[in-house]
Amino acid sequence: MKPREKLIKYGAKSLLNEELVAILLRTGTQNKPVIQLAKEVLELLENITDLKVLSVEDLMTIKGISNAKATSIIASVELIRRIDERKEPKKLIFKESKDIYYLLKEDMTYLNQEHLKIICVDVKGKLIKIETLYIGTNNYISVSIKELFKTAIKLSAYGIILVHNHPSGDATPSLADDELTSRVEEASEILNITLVDHIIIGKNQFYSYRGQRRVKV
């Protein structure tokens, strides 16, 4: 049974990963069935979450993947990401640093550039909003403290949690990370907005400034 027929009859959840990708690809090539092509796409990945950081160029290294097929996959992944971002899981309450890590690890672990997010919370640690503020180079983000607090002030947040990733996979803080944390702490005292934590996400590990330690998971 072809993937589309299987989806119609049994629903999308019944399909294997390669069958879902095959539907996006639509057709194979003269020498390569669409399922085989889909399997080769998946072989690029360590796991399915890596689709979030695949580029068009990555996909086109596979013989048989055209610009049209590659952009179709990338556009589908981006649409899913944007739908997820619009969800407002306001019931989330952050009690420990690991709660933040488990919430964001899939989105941030495999990024090729540093991304800085700010999480606004109320006095009980309840999520108000998550926002991506900056995207930097592979190892550096230039941050405006004024812009960093802008959303928190607008939402009358009790506190903020900074989260950024290290593309190297090593969550050990750099001197620049230490400097940023100090600058934010100074500003937070003036603005009366608590810096609850600053978390660095690596591969299977994270560093918490509040806990002053690196945690392997």
Side-chain angles (χ1 to χ4, degrees):
M1 183 179 294
K2 294 182 178 179
R4 282 190 179 81
E5 296 172 352
K6 187 176 177 181
L7 186 151
I8 293 169
K9 188 169 183 178
Y10 300 110
K13 290 184 179 180
S14 68
L15 271 63
L16 300 173
N17 289 340
E18 58 262 31
E19 292 175 321
L20 291 169
V21 175
I23 289 177
L24 294 175
L25 295 176
R26 301 187 66 175
T27 60
T29 66
Q30 185 175 359
N31 300 317
K32 193 180 296 182
V34 67
I35 287 293
Q36 178 58 38
L37 202 56
K39 287 180 179 179
E40 290 186 25
V41 170
L42 293 176
E43 285 174 2
L44 281 176
L45 317 174
E46 289 183 0
N47 55 64
I48 193 65
T49 59
D50 285 345
L51 275 173
K52 296 177 182 178
V53 295
L54 270 183
S55 67
V56 170
E57 291 75 18
D58 291 331
L59 290 167
M60 290 183 66
T61 61
I62 299 172
K63 188 175 182 180
I65 296 292
S66 63
N67 184 284
K69 292 182 187 298
T71 52
S72 177
I73 292 175
I74 298 297
S76 299
V77 172
E78 178 62 16
L79 179 60
I80 293 168
R81 186 190 67 79
R82 293 185 185 187
I83 290 172
D84 284 342
E85 277 193 351
R86 293 184 64 180
K87 295 177 182 177
E88 297 187 11
K90 292 186 177 179
K91 293 182 180 179
L92 281 177
I93 297 178
F94 304 118
K95 296 181 179 180
E96 300 179 46
S97 301
K98 68 179 181 180
D99 297 335
I100 306 294
Y101 170 74
Y102 284 116
L103 176 68
L104 296 175
K105 68 171 185 173
E106 289 189 1
D107 288 332
M108 300 187 73
T109 296
Y110 298 100
L111 295 172
N112 294 321
Q113 293 175 294
E114 283 200 8
H115 287 57
L116 176 66
K117 293 180 183 286
I118 182 171
I119 302 176
C120 298
V121 296
D122 66 14
V123 69
K124 294 183 179 179
K126 187 176 179 181
L127 172 64
I128 299 174
K129 185 175 183 180
I130 299 177
E131 183 178 17
T132 299
L133 289 181
Y134 295 96
I135 300 174
T137 62
N138 62 345
N139 60 5
Y140 180 74
I141 295 176
S142 179
V143 178
S144 163
I145 299 299
K146 180 179 178 181
E147 288 296 316
L148 192 149
F149 279 95
K150 190 173 182 179
T151 298
I153 294 171
K154 182 179 179 180
L155 297 175
S156 299
Y158 161 79
I160 60 171
I161 302 168
L162 299 183
V163 186
H164 81 276
N165 64 300
H166 278 180
S168 67
D170 184 351
T172 303
S174 65
L175 291 176
D177 296 332
D178 292 342
E179 181 184 347
L180 172 61
T181 305
S182 296
R183 290 167 59 204
V184 174
E185 282 178 338
E186 291 174 5
S188 69
E189 292 178 5
I190 296 171
L191 296 170
N192 198 29
I193 296 175
T194 301
L195 175 60
V196 178
D197 202 352
H198 180 185
I199 295 170
I200 303 170
I201 292 180
K203 190 171 183 179
N204 300 319
Q205 59 181 275
F206 68 92
Y207 183 90
S208 164
Y209 272 88
R210 182 176 69 178
Q212 289 293 303
R213 66 194 183 105
R214 185 175 61 162
V215 180
K216 293 187 177 182
V217 291

PDB file of all heavy atoms in Angstrom, residues 18 21 25 31-45 54 58-59 61-65:
ATOM      1  N   GLU A  18       9.857   7.200   7.107  1.00  0.00           N
ATOM      2  CA  GLU A  18      10.203   7.290   5.684  1.00  0.00           C
ATOM      3  C   GLU A  18       8.960   7.444   4.797  1.00  0.00           C
ATOM      4  O   GLU A  18       9.017   8.052   3.730  1.00  0.00           O
ATOM      5  CB  GLU A  18      11.017   6.076   5.232  1.00  0.00           C
ATOM      6  CG  GLU A  18      10.337   4.734   5.444  1.00  0.00           C
ATOM      7  CD  GLU A  18      10.814   4.054   6.716  1.00  0.00           C
ATOM      8  OE1 GLU A  18      11.151   4.782   7.676  1.00  0.00           O
ATOM      9  OE2 GLU A  18      10.839   2.814   6.734  1.00  0.00           O
ATOM     10  N   VAL A  21       8.034  11.182   4.935  1.00  0.00           N
ATOM     11  CA  VAL A  21       8.947  11.944   4.089  1.00  0.00           C
ATOM     12  C   VAL A  21       8.657  11.669   2.615  1.00  0.00           C
ATOM     13  O   VAL A  21       8.720  12.580   1.776  1.00  0.00           O
ATOM     14  CB  VAL A  21      10.418  11.611   4.424  1.00  0.00           C
ATOM     15  CG1 VAL A  21      11.367  12.314   3.452  1.00  0.00           C
ATOM     16  CG2 VAL A  21      10.746  12.022   5.850  1.00  0.00           C
ATOM     17  N   LEU A  25       8.120  14.199  -0.609  1.00  0.00           N
ATOM     18  CA  LEU A  25       8.937  14.127  -1.828  1.00  0.00           C
ATOM     19  C   LEU A  25       8.090  13.904  -3.074  1.00  0.00           C
ATOM     20  O   LEU A  25       8.483  14.246  -4.178  1.00  0.00           O
ATOM     21  CB  LEU A  25       9.966  12.992  -1.691  1.00  0.00           C
ATOM     22  CG  LEU A  25      11.031  13.166  -0.605  1.00  0.00           C
ATOM     23  CD1 LEU A  25      11.898  11.913  -0.527  1.00  0.00           C
ATOM     24  CD2 LEU A  25      11.887  14.391  -0.875  1.00  0.00           C
ATOM     25  N   ASN A  31      15.767   5.620 -11.213  1.00  0.00           N
ATOM     26  CA  ASN A  31      16.513   4.508 -10.633  1.00  0.00           C
ATOM     27  C   ASN A  31      16.326   4.358  -9.127  1.00  0.00           C
ATOM     28  O   ASN A  31      16.933   3.472  -8.516  1.00  0.00           O
ATOM     29  CB  ASN A  31      18.010   4.682 -10.930  1.00  0.00           C
ATOM     30  CG  ASN A  31      18.301   4.717 -12.413  1.00  0.00           C
ATOM     31  OD1 ASN A  31      17.746   3.923 -13.170  1.00  0.00           O
ATOM     32  ND2 ASN A  31      19.148   5.643 -12.819  1.00  0.00           N
ATOM     33  N   LYS A  32      15.491   5.203  -8.547  1.00  0.00           N
ATOM     34  CA  LYS A  32      15.369   5.181  -7.085  1.00  0.00           C
ATOM     35  C   LYS A  32      13.922   5.440  -6.672  1.00  0.00           C
ATOM     36  O   LYS A  32      13.413   6.553  -6.858  1.00  0.00           O
ATOM     37  CB  LYS A  32      16.297   6.230  -6.483  1.00  0.00           C
ATOM     38  CG  LYS A  32      16.493   6.107  -4.976  1.00  0.00           C
ATOM     39  CD  LYS A  32      17.437   7.213  -4.469  1.00  0.00           C
ATOM     40  CE  LYS A  32      18.830   7.076  -5.053  1.00  0.00           C
ATOM     41  NZ  LYS A  32      19.749   8.126  -4.525  1.00  0.00           N
ATOM     42  N   PRO A  33      13.235   4.435  -6.108  1.00  0.00           N
ATOM     43  CA  PRO A  33      11.871   4.626  -5.639  1.00  0.00           C
ATOM     44  C   PRO A  33      11.796   5.705  -4.561  1.00  0.00           C
ATOM     45  O   PRO A  33      12.775   5.962  -3.858  1.00  0.00           O
ATOM     46  CB  PRO A  33      11.498   3.255  -5.062  1.00  0.00           C
ATOM     47  CG  PRO A  33      12.467   2.299  -5.656  1.00  0.00           C
ATOM     48  CD  PRO A  33      13.728   3.077  -5.868  1.00  0.00           C
ATOM     49  N   VAL A  34      10.646   6.319  -4.412  1.00  0.00           N
ATOM     50  CA  VAL A  34      10.502   7.425  -3.477  1.00  0.00           C
ATOM     51  C   VAL A  34      10.776   7.004  -2.031  1.00  0.00           C
ATOM     52  O   VAL A  34      11.327   7.774  -1.247  1.00  0.00           O
ATOM     53  CB  VAL A  34       9.097   8.068  -3.601  1.00  0.00           C
ATOM     54  CG1 VAL A  34       7.998   7.112  -3.135  1.00  0.00           C
ATOM     55  CG2 VAL A  34       9.044   9.375  -2.807  1.00  0.00           C
ATOM     56  N   ILE A  35      10.429   5.766  -1.674  1.00  0.00           N
ATOM     57  CA  ILE A  35      10.692   5.294  -0.308  1.00  0.00           C
ATOM     58  C   ILE A  35      12.194   5.211  -0.046  1.00  0.00           C
ATOM     59  O   ILE A  35      12.681   5.574   1.026  1.00  0.00           O
ATOM     60  CB  ILE A  35      10.033   3.919  -0.055  1.00  0.00           C
ATOM     61  CG1 ILE A  35       8.498   4.077   0.064  1.00  0.00           C
ATOM     62  CG2 ILE A  35      10.576   3.279   1.214  1.00  0.00           C
ATOM     63  CD1 ILE A  35       8.052   4.846   1.309  1.00  0.00           C
ATOM     64  N   GLN A  36      12.948   4.753  -1.029  1.00  0.00           N
ATOM     65  CA  GLN A  36      14.401   4.677  -0.888  1.00  0.00           C
ATOM     66  C   GLN A  36      15.002   6.072  -0.745  1.00  0.00           C
ATOM     67  O   GLN A  36      15.909   6.315   0.057  1.00  0.00           O
ATOM     68  CB  GLN A  36      15.022   3.972  -2.098  1.00  0.00           C
ATOM     69  CG  GLN A  36      16.542   3.882  -2.071  1.00  0.00           C
ATOM     70  CD  GLN A  36      17.079   3.167  -0.849  1.00  0.00           C
ATOM     71  OE1 GLN A  36      16.486   2.190  -0.392  1.00  0.00           O
ATOM     72  NE2 GLN A  36      18.192   3.645  -0.307  1.00  0.00           N
ATOM     73  N   LEU A  37      14.467   7.005  -1.514  1.00  0.00           N
ATOM     74  CA  LEU A  37      14.918   8.392  -1.443  1.00  0.00           C
ATOM     75  C   LEU A  37      14.637   8.972  -0.052  1.00  0.00           C
ATOM     76  O   LEU A  37      15.477   9.653   0.535  1.00  0.00           O
ATOM     77  CB  LEU A  37      14.210   9.215  -2.517  1.00  0.00           C
ATOM     78  CG  LEU A  37      14.865  10.521  -2.982  1.00  0.00           C
ATOM     79  CD1 LEU A  37      16.280  10.290  -3.467  1.00  0.00           C
ATOM     80  CD2 LEU A  37      14.023  11.165  -4.069  1.00  0.00           C
ATOM     81  N   ALA A  38      13.468   8.655   0.459  1.00  0.00           N
ATOM     82  CA  ALA A  38      13.091   9.131   1.799  1.00  0.00           C
ATOM     83  C   ALA A  38      14.009   8.548   2.865  1.00  0.00           C
ATOM     84  O   ALA A  38      14.405   9.243   3.813  1.00  0.00           O
ATOM     85  CB  ALA A  38      11.635   8.762   2.092  1.00  0.00           C
ATOM     86  N   LYS A  39      14.363   7.289   2.715  1.00  0.00           N
ATOM     87  CA  LYS A  39      15.266   6.647   3.680  1.00  0.00           C
ATOM     88  C   LYS A  39      16.636   7.314   3.669  1.00  0.00           C
ATOM     89  O   LYS A  39      17.276   7.466   4.717  1.00  0.00           O
ATOM     90  CB  LYS A  39      15.403   5.153   3.373  1.00  0.00           C
ATOM     91  CG  LYS A  39      14.163   4.338   3.744  1.00  0.00           C
ATOM     92  CD  LYS A  39      14.363   2.867   3.413  1.00  0.00           C
ATOM     93  CE  LYS A  39      13.139   2.037   3.815  1.00  0.00           C
ATOM     94  NZ  LYS A  39      13.305   0.609   3.476  1.00  0.00           N
ATOM     95  N   GLU A  40      17.085   7.738   2.507  1.00  0.00           N
ATOM     96  CA  GLU A  40      18.380   8.403   2.412  1.00  0.00           C
ATOM     97  C   GLU A  40      18.335   9.779   3.077  1.00  0.00           C
ATOM     98  O   GLU A  40      19.336  10.234   3.639  1.00  0.00           O
ATOM     99  CB  GLU A  40      18.807   8.516   0.944  1.00  0.00           C
ATOM    100  CG  GLU A  40      19.176   7.173   0.326  1.00  0.00           C
ATOM    101  CD  GLU A  40      19.728   7.294  -1.077  1.00  0.00           C
ATOM    102  OE1 GLU A  40      20.276   8.375  -1.411  1.00  0.00           O
ATOM    103  OE2 GLU A  40      19.624   6.319  -1.843  1.00  0.00           O
ATOM    104  N   VAL A  41      17.189  10.437   3.013  1.00  0.00           N
ATOM    105  CA  VAL A  41      17.030  11.705   3.727  1.00  0.00           C
ATOM    106  C   VAL A  41      17.171  11.466   5.228  1.00  0.00           C
ATOM    107  O   VAL A  41      17.890  12.182   5.939  1.00  0.00           O
ATOM    108  CB  VAL A  41      15.659  12.345   3.429  1.00  0.00           C
ATOM    109  CG1 VAL A  41      15.400  13.525   4.371  1.00  0.00           C
ATOM    110  CG2 VAL A  41      15.587  12.810   1.984  1.00  0.00           C
ATOM    111  N   LEU A  42      16.515  10.434   5.709  1.00  0.00           N
ATOM    112  CA  LEU A  42      16.542  10.129   7.139  1.00  0.00           C
ATOM    113  C   LEU A  42      17.922   9.669   7.599  1.00  0.00           C
ATOM    114  O   LEU A  42      18.288   9.836   8.763  1.00  0.00           O
ATOM    115  CB  LEU A  42      15.496   9.064   7.469  1.00  0.00           C
ATOM    116  CG  LEU A  42      14.040   9.515   7.306  1.00  0.00           C
ATOM    117  CD1 LEU A  42      13.089   8.361   7.551  1.00  0.00           C
ATOM    118  CD2 LEU A  42      13.710  10.661   8.239  1.00  0.00           C
ATOM    119  N   GLU A  43      18.691   9.079   6.686  1.00  0.00           N
ATOM    120  CA  GLU A  43      20.037   8.642   7.037  1.00  0.00           C
ATOM    121  C   GLU A  43      20.971   9.818   7.322  1.00  0.00           C
ATOM    122  O   GLU A  43      22.028   9.652   7.931  1.00  0.00           O
ATOM    123  CB  GLU A  43      20.619   7.774   5.913  1.00  0.00           C
ATOM    124  CG  GLU A  43      20.017   6.374   5.878  1.00  0.00           C
ATOM    125  CD  GLU A  43      20.488   5.565   4.681  1.00  0.00           C
ATOM    126  OE1 GLU A  43      21.321   6.086   3.892  1.00  0.00           O
ATOM    127  OE2 GLU A  43      20.019   4.424   4.511  1.00  0.00           O
ATOM    128  N   LEU A  44      20.575  11.015   6.876  1.00  0.00           N
ATOM    129  CA  LEU A  44      21.360  12.215   7.175  1.00  0.00           C
ATOM    130  C   LEU A  44      21.258  12.587   8.659  1.00  0.00           C
ATOM    131  O   LEU A  44      22.061  13.338   9.180  1.00  0.00           O
ATOM    132  CB  LEU A  44      20.854  13.409   6.370  1.00  0.00           C
ATOM    133  CG  LEU A  44      21.251  13.535   4.909  1.00  0.00           C
ATOM    134  CD1 LEU A  44      20.549  14.740   4.310  1.00  0.00           C
ATOM    135  CD2 LEU A  44      22.754  13.695   4.774  1.00  0.00           C
ATOM    136  N   LEU A  45      20.266  12.024   9.274  1.00  0.00           N
ATOM    137  CA  LEU A  45      19.937  12.468  10.620  1.00  0.00           C
ATOM    138  C   LEU A  45      20.372  11.480  11.685  1.00  0.00           C
ATOM    139  O   LEU A  45      20.378  10.277  11.477  1.00  0.00           O
ATOM    140  CB  LEU A  45      18.416  12.657  10.742  1.00  0.00           C
ATOM    141  CG  LEU A  45      17.731  13.338   9.567  1.00  0.00           C
ATOM    142  CD1 LEU A  45      16.247  13.313   9.749  1.00  0.00           C
ATOM    143  CD2 LEU A  45      18.254  14.739   9.428  1.00  0.00           C
ATOM    144  N   LEU A  54      18.205  20.925   9.271  1.00  0.00           N
ATOM    145  CA  LEU A  54      18.643  20.586   7.919  1.00  0.00           C
ATOM    146  C   LEU A  54      18.502  21.791   7.007  1.00  0.00           C
ATOM    147  O   LEU A  54      17.565  22.566   7.123  1.00  0.00           O
ATOM    148  CB  LEU A  54      17.786  19.447   7.358  1.00  0.00           C
ATOM    149  CG  LEU A  54      18.236  18.015   7.603  1.00  0.00           C
ATOM    150  CD1 LEU A  54      17.288  17.067   6.895  1.00  0.00           C
ATOM    151  CD2 LEU A  54      19.649  17.786   7.119  1.00  0.00           C
ATOM    152  N   ASP A  58      22.040  20.696   2.444  1.00  0.00           N
ATOM    153  CA  ASP A  58      22.224  19.367   3.020  1.00  0.00           C
ATOM    154  C   ASP A  58      21.421  18.328   2.252  1.00  0.00           C
ATOM    155  O   ASP A  58      21.932  17.261   1.888  1.00  0.00           O
ATOM    156  CB  ASP A  58      21.779  19.340   4.490  1.00  0.00           C
ATOM    157  CG  ASP A  58      22.693  20.134   5.401  1.00  0.00           C
ATOM    158  OD1 ASP A  58      23.891  20.247   5.077  1.00  0.00           O
ATOM    159  OD2 ASP A  58      22.206  20.640   6.416  1.00  0.00           O
ATOM    160  N   LEU A  59      20.174  18.632   2.020  1.00  0.00           N
ATOM    161  CA  LEU A  59      19.283  17.677   1.347  1.00  0.00           C
ATOM    162  C   LEU A  59      19.709  17.426  -0.095  1.00  0.00           C
ATOM    163  O   LEU A  59      19.607  16.310  -0.599  1.00  0.00           O
ATOM    164  CB  LEU A  59      17.841  18.201   1.390  1.00  0.00           C
ATOM    165  CG  LEU A  59      17.181  18.184   2.772  1.00  0.00           C
ATOM    166  CD1 LEU A  59      15.905  19.008   2.770  1.00  0.00           C
ATOM    167  CD2 LEU A  59      16.878  16.747   3.206  1.00  0.00           C
ATOM    168  N   THR A  61      22.530  17.193  -1.289  1.00  0.00           N
ATOM    169  CA  THR A  61      23.706  16.322  -1.445  1.00  0.00           C
ATOM    170  C   THR A  61      23.279  14.903  -1.805  1.00  0.00           C
ATOM    171  O   THR A  61      24.091  14.088  -2.239  1.00  0.00           O
ATOM    172  CB  THR A  61      24.540  16.276  -0.146  1.00  0.00           C
ATOM    173  OG1 THR A  61      23.746  15.753   0.925  1.00  0.00           O
ATOM    174  CG2 THR A  61      25.058  17.652   0.213  1.00  0.00           C
ATOM    175  N   ILE A  62      22.004  14.592  -1.608  1.00  0.00           N
ATOM    176  CA  ILE A  62      21.472  13.268  -1.946  1.00  0.00           C
ATOM    177  C   ILE A  62      21.086  13.247  -3.422  1.00  0.00           C
ATOM    178  O   ILE A  62      20.323  14.102  -3.889  1.00  0.00           O
ATOM    179  CB  ILE A  62      20.228  12.939  -1.088  1.00  0.00           C
ATOM    180  CG1 ILE A  62      20.590  12.930   0.395  1.00  0.00           C
ATOM    181  CG2 ILE A  62      19.620  11.601  -1.496  1.00  0.00           C
ATOM    182  CD1 ILE A  62      19.394  12.800   1.318  1.00  0.00           C
ATOM    183  N   LYS A  63      21.596  12.305  -4.138  1.00  0.00           N
ATOM    184  CA  LYS A  63      21.279  12.181  -5.559  1.00  0.00           C
ATOM    185  C   LYS A  63      19.795  11.874  -5.729  1.00  0.00           C
ATOM    186  O   LYS A  63      19.286  10.893  -5.192  1.00  0.00           O
ATOM    187  CB  LYS A  63      22.117  11.062  -6.189  1.00  0.00           C
ATOM    188  CG  LYS A  63      21.996  10.996  -7.713  1.00  0.00           C
ATOM    189  CD  LYS A  63      22.934   9.968  -8.304  1.00  0.00           C
ATOM    190  CE  LYS A  63      22.836   9.936  -9.826  1.00  0.00           C
ATOM    191  NZ  LYS A  63      23.757   8.938 -10.431  1.00  0.00           N
ATOM    192  N   GLY A  64      19.103  12.731  -6.457  1.00  0.00           N
ATOM    193  CA  GLY A  64      17.669  12.543  -6.652  1.00  0.00           C
ATOM    194  C   GLY A  64      16.838  13.584  -5.923  1.00  0.00           C
ATOM    195  O   GLY A  64      15.645  13.721  -6.180  1.00  0.00           O
ATOM    196  N   ILE A  65      17.464  14.321  -4.994  1.00  0.00           N
ATOM    197  CA  ILE A  65      16.750  15.387  -4.284  1.00  0.00           C
ATOM    198  C   ILE A  65      16.964  16.694  -5.033  1.00  0.00           C
ATOM    199  O   ILE A  65      18.072  17.227  -5.074  1.00  0.00           O
ATOM    200  CB  ILE A  65      17.241  15.537  -2.829  1.00  0.00           C
ATOM    201  CG1 ILE A  65      16.934  14.281  -2.029  1.00  0.00           C
ATOM    202  CG2 ILE A  65      16.580  16.750  -2.164  1.00  0.00           C
ATOM    203  CD1 ILE A  65      15.464  14.025  -1.768  1.00  0.00           C
TER     204      ILE A  65
END
